[in-house]
Amino acid sequence: MPPVSDGPSPGTSAETLASISVPDRLETVFGALDFFDGMPLPGTVTRSYDALDLLRGIEVFLNCVPGASMVAMRRGLRSLGIDSRTIGFTAPRCGSAPLVLTANTETTYGMACLALDQDGPTVIEAPPHSLCLVNDLWQRHVTDMGIAGPDRGVGGRYLFLPPGYDGDVPDGYFVVRPVTFSSWVLLRALGGVESLLRTRIHPLSCAADPPEQRFVNFAESDFNTVHANDFSFFEEIDTLVQAEPPEALDAERAGQLAAIGIVPGKPFEPDDRMRSLLDTAARIASGIVRTLSFRPRDPDFYLYPGSSWKNPWPSRNHEFLSPEGARLLDARAVFHYFAAGTSPAMAAAAVGAGSQYAYTAEDSTGAWLDGAREYTLRLPNGIPAKNFWAVNVYDPQTRSLLRTHSPYPSVNSLSDAVRTEDNGDTVVHFGPTAPEGKGENRVRTVPGKGWFIILRLYGPLESWFDKSWRPGEIEPA
């Protein structure tokens, strides 16, 4: 094998010196940087550190959205009294009152946040015929329960052990070891509310005589589970870092956080300068991630050539890894800015199992969807969903269900009122008014607001994966 060259060695020519030197003045987006023979002058020192802290704040935001989102989720649930032994749920279904990232109006949801540091080993009895998942507080996949989990949809008992636990482990459980004390539990019961209410969460210490399960219905509650886009974003992250084992955080993100003053066991006390820079960083980063989300430049986001339909998992990998093993940082930021919860069964579902998603905020001309205009979406005959399909409409600011005339901005196959055309196609109408005779296939939008949609397929079929079936584009009327 020939030796690897380090490149040409031209010697210390004038060209070489120019390539390794710094001019006396650099014009940058942060202002002019002035040097004396490569050594920074006082104003340059100040501007350099301001630039560095701003850039690191932006990177922390983009890389730590998953954690801030989980902290906000837990805080929102706690505001309703939903603690680690309580299950919040939606009955009859989730409406647009709660601010929850891209929730849908069809699935019966249940949610809880474990507290293994307080409760110790904890048991979850998962309901049958469900699609449930558990993520740790950095929103990394811990386990699936239900159809995609080891119980295969018949229901089962799961035992969650705290980080570092070395005690006895009883038989009869699917044993799970999260790396954070707090984990988010998402219950999706395909059998409806009655099925979900069979779920139980309690400490292992109470297994012999478990207490009566407490439930809180939050379907119509106006509360917030969405993370901040200003300085308080970093306070959300500090809350996570201080409460969880340091080893739960990878070294790279730990280094980024330490660079802006967030360190386990130490108070986060930025001075006025740093606080202002971080507030600016959060606002810039939230603008960047919106650009990444709605107009991604990675072609792998797009499902079809010349189409605006996008796949939230461009690599079909729930850890956002490329085929070469690289972390797709933009894809991770986009997904967690839009949604909560990740699982292999969502990113790379098997035919007839799990779920698949496509989203867009554009019409067929590439223009943003406008709540003051009328549009149609044609879903050709043979929509590839074994269980059900749904089109949900969302607010691009909150990334939550659009608050409009109906609390359920959706058209879906679970509704007996949905009409099909003579050829079997389903045409969905969007706009601020009701097209005559099309009300059951319509979502009312809001003038002055944009919107975007997610097409969901539960139990996706082969024609989705081989792309022999594809949704139409959203057409302006």
Side-chain angles (χ1 to χ4, degrees):
M1 183 175 178
V4 177
S5 170
D6 289 328
S9 302
T12 53
S13 64
E15 182 179 353
T16 298
L17 288 173
S19 72
I20 64 174
S21 298
V22 175
D24 287 343
R25 167 162 284 207
L26 285 172
E27 297 292 345
T28 78
V29 295
F30 304 105
L33 302 181
D34 295 309
F35 301 85
F36 167 66
D37 199 22
M39 294 175 283
L41 298 182
T44 294
V45 172
T46 298
R47 278 189 289 276
S48 294
Y49 283 118
D50 284 350
L52 182 61
D53 291 337
L54 177 66
L55 292 172
R56 283 184 168 154
I58 292 171
E59 286 295 326
V60 164
F61 186 103
L62 295 174
N63 289 330
C64 293
V65 162
S69 185
M70 287 291 92
V71 170
M73 176 67 73
R74 185 178 61 184
R75 182 180 62 228
L77 294 175
R78 286 177 174 175
S79 72
L80 300 180
I82 302 171
D83 58 19
S84 61
R85 304 186 189 190
T86 303
I87 297 173
F89 73 108
T90 57
R93 51 190 177 137
C94 189
S96 57
L99 294 182
V100 178
L101 292 174
T102 51
N104 73 59
T105 65
E106 294 72 48
T107 306
T108 298
Y109 284 119
M111 295 184 192
C113 287
L114 303 182
L116 302 180
D117 51 342
Q118 300 171 27
D119 298 337
T122 297
V123 175
I124 298 181
E125 297 179 25
H129 194 48
S130 62
L131 285 168
C132 307
L133 62 88
V134 180
N135 282 186
D136 72 14
L137 215 62
W138 283 103
Q139 214 167 153
R140 295 170 297 206
H141 179 251
V142 174
T143 191
D144 287 296
M145 303 183 295
I147 294 170
D151 68 90
R152 296 294 184 261
V154 300
R157 298 192 305 169
Y158 291 76
L159 177 59
F160 291 81
L161 301 177
Y165 179 81
D166 59 1
D168 294 334
V169 179
D171 295 331
Y173 296 93
F174 299 110
V175 178
V176 186
R177 294 180 179 269
V179 298
T180 58
F181 292 114
S182 186
S183 287
W184 181 57
V185 181
L186 175 63
L187 307 165
R188 296 179 293 176
L190 302 184
V193 175
E194 182 179 348
S195 176
L196 185 133
L197 294 178
R198 295 169 63 180
T199 310
R200 297 291 182 268
I201 299 179
H202 56 80
L204 178 64
S205 59
C206 302
D209 185 22
E212 182 179 354
Q213 182 63 55
R214 181 171 179 262
F215 293 91
V216 173
N217 183 4
F218 65 78
E220 298 179 1
S221 299
D222 185 354
F223 70 109
N224 178 38
T225 69
V226 181
H227 65 79
N229 283 331
D230 58 14
F231 171 78
S232 53
F233 174 94
F234 300 98
E235 294 176 314
E236 292 168 339
I237 292 298
D238 184 60
T239 297
L240 191 167
V241 169
Q242 301 307 330
E244 297 296 344
E247 55 270 20
L249 181 59
D250 62 273
E252 195 72 21
R253 272 195 288 204
Q256 291 179 335
L257 289 167
I260 64 168
I262 298 177
V263 179
K266 296 183 179 180
F268 176 48
E269 298 176 335
D271 58 20
D272 289 345
R273 167 194 162 275
M274 191 66 170
R275 189 182 184 94
S276 176
L277 282 169
L278 292 178
D279 183 72
T280 300
R283 296 176 189 278
I284 292 173
S286 68
I288 290 171
V289 75
R290 286 173 181 273
T291 299
L292 295 173
S293 301
F294 291 116
R295 281 280 168 83
R297 62 182 178 182
D298 180 353
D300 288 339
F301 268 95
Y302 295 88
L303 283 164
Y304 315 101
S307 172
S308 71
W309 286 106
K310 302 167 191 69
N311 168 30
W313 282 281
S315 67
R316 304 282 182 183
N317 183 281
H318 73 286
E319 295 182 315
F320 308 98
L321 296 176
S322 73
E324 297 76 30
R327 185 86 64 199
L328 301 176
L329 300 178
D330 291 353
R332 182 177 65 184
V334 166
F335 179 83
H336 291 297
Y337 198 72
F338 263 120
T342 184
S343 158
M346 298 164 69
V351 173
S355 50
Q356 287 285 280
Y357 307 83
Y359 75 95
T360 185
E362 301 167 62
D363 69 19
S364 60
T365 72
W368 298 125
L369 298 172
D370 182 347
R373 300 188 62 187
E374 301 284 341
Y375 302 87
T376 59
L377 166 65
R378 181 173 294 272
L379 301 176
N381 188 18
I383 299 172
K386 183 177 76 173
N387 298 321
F388 69 89
W389 60 264
V391 170
N392 295 114
V393 176
Y394 297 95
D395 183 328
Q397 289 288 4
T398 66
R399 291 93 70 208
S400 302
L401 287 164
L402 183 69
R403 290 178 171 177
T404 181
H405 294 73
S406 166
Y408 309 117
S410 169
V411 173
N412 60 81
S413 61
L414 298 179
S415 170
D416 294 333
V418 171
R419 294 173 54 184
T420 58
E421 305 290 297
D422 291 342
N423 63 357
D425 292 358
T426 301
V427 178
V428 183
H429 300 261
F430 309 90
T433 60
E436 186 176 348
K438 305 293 185 181
E440 59 278 355
N441 281 34
R442 165 191 148 270
V443 177
R444 183 86 62 93
T445 57
V446 180
K449 282 202 65 62
W451 52 278
F452 70 97
I453 71 169
I454 295 179
L455 168 65
R456 285 178 167 84
L457 304 172
Y458 281 85
L461 302 178
E462 180 62 35
S463 60
W464 172 256
F465 294 101
D466 66 18
K467 299 186 179 180
S468 58
W469 184 95
R470 61 179 278 184
E473 300 299 305
I474 299 178
E475 299 292 345

